[in-house]
Each structure stands twice: as structure tokens, then as C-alpha cells.
Amino acid sequence: MMNVAIMGYGTIGSGVAEILEANKDAIRQAAGQELSLRYVLDLRDLSGSPVEDEQIHDFSIIEGDPEVDLVVETMGGLNPAYPFVKACLLAGKHVVTSNKALVAAHGTELLRIAREKQVNFFFEASVGGGIPIIRTLYRCLRGEQLEEIAGILNGTTNFILTKMDKEGWSFADALKEAQRLGYAEKDPTADVEGYDTCRKIAILLAMATGKETDYQKIHTEGITKITDTDFKYAARLGMSIKLVGSGKIGADGRVGAYVLPLLIEKADPLYTVSDVLNAVVVRGNMLGTTMYHGSGAGKLPTASAVVADLIEAAQESGRNVSLGWTGEEQQFKPFEEETFRYMVRLGGSLERRRKELEAMEAFPIQKWVLPDGADAGEGFAVLTGPMTEGDFARAAASLSDILAVVRGKA
Ligand code: HSE
């Protein structure tokens, strides 16, 4: 039997306790022994909950109990998650976390300590919720040179954008519903400003390249500026808008990475990824392209990934599984060198703007998108051909009355 401690009995932590009980037999069989819940650390009083007998308030009980082998961190945030996780690894305990902020900020150090102590630091649930993407990278795609990883990595924003696109909901109503359903981070700024996606794509790129990937160097924009009018124009182009995290690993070893709301064409496999679902597209040099699709947030899907990590930690007890990255620093391609197509919504007189734009050699126009009669007053839009970010910024600087810009894949 191995004893488990859960730190943080919120949405995910309570899901882990629930699955350990509900799937007890299957888990015992898979792990080769029983995984028994010994402690649940939480500041709140959990009397009346299913874990009232396991509840503790003092972290040092977990750290000091040599019979606790497996620790789950589902507190979120960095403090006290970081010092607690570090102390558990130093005490020779396996740690499983769902906390992408922790992995993105301190993964290099925590992985190193786990190697030194011959324990494991697993974080499947930190990216893509219940989608098994981390394990896929370090087990199934080991023989590949990975060239690209991209995807819809945040359930909350995908839920919001889907409601705005398909059902005409307001941003605020959709966010409220995502929070009610337990998808959103405690502070939803991390979701809607793209910070959560940024940390997740950084973790995936670190896994794909074996190098420390500083999420702060990834160009990140969220969805707060996207409006229903942008969706209307995107629909006229046969497209939707999704928040995408993307990383391309160049032949020179540099990575081009960004987090952006992007126009997505109907033929793109990401087009049908709706609601809270996430999808990760991975391109390998031998394998070609594969896509992994499933529940990207929510209590039980995410907790299921945590439990799978607990089982692997139990199976591999006494041995550090080789995964992750070292302190070698990831080199990035500057964002100005990225190429996109741009949907530019413009105000002013159509005739004047046509003349102005068509006279600009540096502004390759692919398509004009005119408003329906009912939408008069919302201007019109053009879709450009492929341009680098730097070229677009220079061309856009000479244009007045730009109402909105949404990028699309080149
Ligand atoms: N807030 C995150 C999301 C939770 O919406 O995807 C899962 O990481």
C-alpha cells in the first residue's frame, strides 16, 4: 500500500479524492498496490465533507511523515505550492501536480531535485486537462524530432469564444458560466489574457525540445478585445476565432512561439474544437501530424490525469522516470519574423479606402469583406495575404481608422 496526501481540496483536489474512492479497484490493479488517502491539506474546515477524517491544516505533518510516498499538489499558484512541492521532493516523496504556473516557473529546478532524489515530479494535468499529452510526448513520441506543437489549450476561453460565436452570448455572461462550471482559474485574468495558454505552450515546448522555455519570452495576447463584430466578419470569410498557443521548432533550433486569437478556417482540424474542449496538434519529422482532443478543464477530467500520474509514480517507485528538460535555455525567433494573414476592419468611406489600400504595394489584399445592409456603420474588412508581423506593423502604421485586427494562419 502507498499513502497519498492531497494539498488543496478545491475543484481538482476533491476530484482526485473522489476518483481514488470510486475507481479504487481499477487503481489498485494498475498501480500494483492500494493507493490510500492519508491526508488532505486545506486551510478551510472540511467537516461534513467525504475527507473530514483526513483533513489537516499543517503542511509539516505531510513533510515529516515517512509513510507518505505520494503527494498531490492541487493548490494552484506559486505560494505556498512551490515551497511545499520542493520540500516534498527533497523529503524523497513523489509529487504530482496540476499546476501549470508552478511547472512553467520552477519546473527546471523541481525536475532536477526529483532526478537527484530518484523520485518523480509528474504534471500531466497541467496541460490540456484530461488529454494525455505530456505522457504522449515523453513515452510515445520519443523517437521523433518534433517540429511543431500548437493547440487550443484553455477551456475557459474556448468556452467563451464558442458561446460568442455560435450563440451570440456576451463575453461577460460566457465567462460567468465558465466560472460556475469550474473551468476558470481563481483569477480569470490568467485565462482571458492568454497567460494560462502561454504557460501551457511553454511546458509543451520544453517537453518537446528538452530545454528550459521561458514563458515570459512568448508573445501573448488574450481574447478581451475580440468582439461580436469580429465574429461576424470571420463568419463571412468562413472562419471562426480561437485562442491558439503555437510553437514551431526551426531547423536552426530556434523556436517561433506565440499565443494569439487566430482566425481558423473550416478545413482546419481546430475549427471543430468547441466549448471546454482542448486539442493539441503535434507534428513530428517521421510521424507527420497527430491531434489529441478532449476535455481541457473541469474537475473529473483533470483529476483523472492526476490519478494516472499517481499510478505511474507508484509503478515506478524507487526510480526516476526520464522526462522533461534541463537548464539549457530555449532560443526564440523574434515575433516580428512570424508570418500571418490579417483581417483588418476599417472605418471610413469604402471607395476612399479601396483606393488607399490598393495603392499600397506592401499591403497584399486577398479579399474584401463588406457588411450586410443591416451592419452599416460597422465599416468593412480586408483579408491580407501572408505578411510578416514586422511588415504588417509598418503598413498598418500608415493607415488611419483601423477598427480591429485579427490574425489568421498564413
Ligand atoms: N483555467 C484552465 C482552463 C483550467 O480553462 O483551461 C485548466 O488548465
Side-chain angles (χ1 to χ4, degrees):
M1 184 179 83
M2 289 179 93
N3 292 304
V4 178
I6 296 175
M7 305 193 294
Y9 193 71
T11 307
I12 312 304
S14 60
V16 174
E18 192 177 324
I19 294 177
L20 286 176
E21 185 55 37
N23 287 0
K24 200 182 232 165
D25 294 341
I27 292 168
R28 185 193 303 113
Q29 208 171 8
Q33 56 198 312
E34 187 182 338
L35 303 189
S36 167
L37 184 59
R38 176 167 284 195
Y39 302 121
V40 175
L41 178 72
D42 203 285
L43 288 173
R44 295 163 302 169
D45 177 9
L46 301 177
S47 304
S49 84
V51 297
E52 62 181 348
D53 294 341
E54 288 80 23
Q55 150 118 64
I56 55 168
H57 296 294
D58 178 3
F59 167 69
S60 65
I61 296 173
I62 296 174
E63 186 185 12
D65 186 339
E67 291 180 356
V68 170
D69 314 285
L70 303 168
V71 180
V72 172
E73 186 278 303
T74 42
M75 289 182 283
L78 296 182
N79 205 3
Y82 168 54
F84 285 5
V85 165
K86 188 170 166 178
C88 289
L89 291 170
L90 286 169
K93 301 175 191 305
H94 302 282
V95 177
V96 171
T97 185
S98 59
N99 184 341
K100 54 249 136 190
L102 175 70
V103 179
H106 297 290
T108 309
E109 182 193 15
L110 298 172
L111 283 162
R112 180 178 50 73
I113 297 172
R115 278 179 213 120
E116 285 165 7
K117 291 286 173 185
Q118 284 299 300
V119 291
N120 289 294
F121 176 57
F122 286 146
F123 43 89
E124 180 63 68
S126 68
V127 181
I131 303 173
I133 185 61
I134 300 288
R135 187 157 292 107
T136 299
L137 291 174
Y138 75 79
R139 292 256 185 235
C140 313
L141 304 183
R142 261 273 151 89
E144 286 294 310
Q145 278 183 35
L146 298 179
E147 297 173 338
E148 183 175 359
I149 300 194
I152 295 173
L153 300 171
N154 183 269
T156 301
T157 47
N158 206 38
F159 181 85
I160 292 171
L161 293 175
T162 304
K163 291 287 178 211
M164 287 173 75
D165 188 15
K166 305 272 184 276
E167 293 173 42
W169 283 30
S170 72
F171 175 87
D173 284 349
L175 172 60
K176 230 180 276 161
E177 182 65 358
Q179 286 175 306
R180 192 186 68 76
L181 293 167
Y183 303 152
E185 298 298 303
K186 271 185 208 142
D187 175 2
T189 313
D191 296 301
V192 297
E193 294 296 354
Y195 309 150
D196 178 80
T197 299
C198 173
R199 281 155 180 79
K200 289 170 176 169
I201 193 69
I203 294 169
L204 292 178
L205 284 168
M207 289 297 300
T209 59
K211 295 179 192 167
E212 182 175 65
T213 303
D214 181 355
Y215 66 87
Q216 295 175 84
K217 294 188 176 153
I218 298 177
H219 180 97
T220 298
E221 296 179 25
I223 63 163
T224 50
K225 294 196 186 95
I226 300 294
T227 62
D228 55 341
T229 312
D230 296 328
F231 273 110
K232 272 189 215 162
Y233 278 89
R236 285 176 198 137
L237 289 164
M239 300 199 218
S240 185
I241 302 170
K242 310 270 188 194
L243 185 67
V244 173
S246 171
K248 290 197 186 77
I249 303 154
D252 60 0
R254 290 188 313 164
V255 162
Y258 54 80
V259 175
L260 290 171
L262 283 187
L263 294 164
I264 301 288
E265 290 181 331
K266 280 204 176 113
D268 190 310
L270 295 182
Y271 184 88
T272 52
V273 180
S274 297
D275 297 313
V276 73
L277 294 173
N278 282 193
V280 189
V281 174
V282 182
R283 181 159 51 86
N285 66 336
M286 298 293 137
L287 171 73
T289 300
T290 49
M291 182 163 109
Y292 309 87
H293 185 205
S295 295
K299 178 175 170 170
L300 293 175
T302 310
S304 168
V306 172
V307 171
D309 275 351
L310 283 175
I311 291 170
E312 179 157 343
Q315 289 169 336
E316 301 288 353
S317 196
R319 188 178 90 86
N320 173 260
V321 176
S322 159
L323 75 108
W325 55 92
T326 65
E328 189 187 344
E329 196 185 325
Q330 189 82 264
Q331 299 302 316
F332 289 94
K333 174 174 140 182
F335 183 62
E336 290 68 36
E337 293 177 21
E338 293 291 340
T339 302
F340 299 99
R341 288 184 295 161
Y342 298 81
M343 181 180 82
V344 186
R345 293 207 295 107
L346 295 157
S349 126
L350 176 60
E351 206 177 317
R352 178 175 68 77
R353 303 312 300 261
R354 257 193 212 276
K355 275 193 200 136
E356 181 190 12
L357 292 176
E358 283 167 0
M360 284 174 70
E361 257 174 50
F363 204 80
I365 295 172
Q366 232 171 40
K367 225 175 196 163
W368 288 91
V369 197
L370 305 182
D372 288 342
D375 296 338
E378 286 177 349
F380 52 93
V382 285
L383 180 69
T384 74
M387 299 174 79
T388 65
E389 188 64 20
D391 285 345
F392 177 75
R394 277 183 287 278
S398 65
L399 288 176
S400 58
D401 220 358
I402 292 183
L403 303 174
V405 176
V406 185
R407 299 174 183 87
K409 291 184 190 176

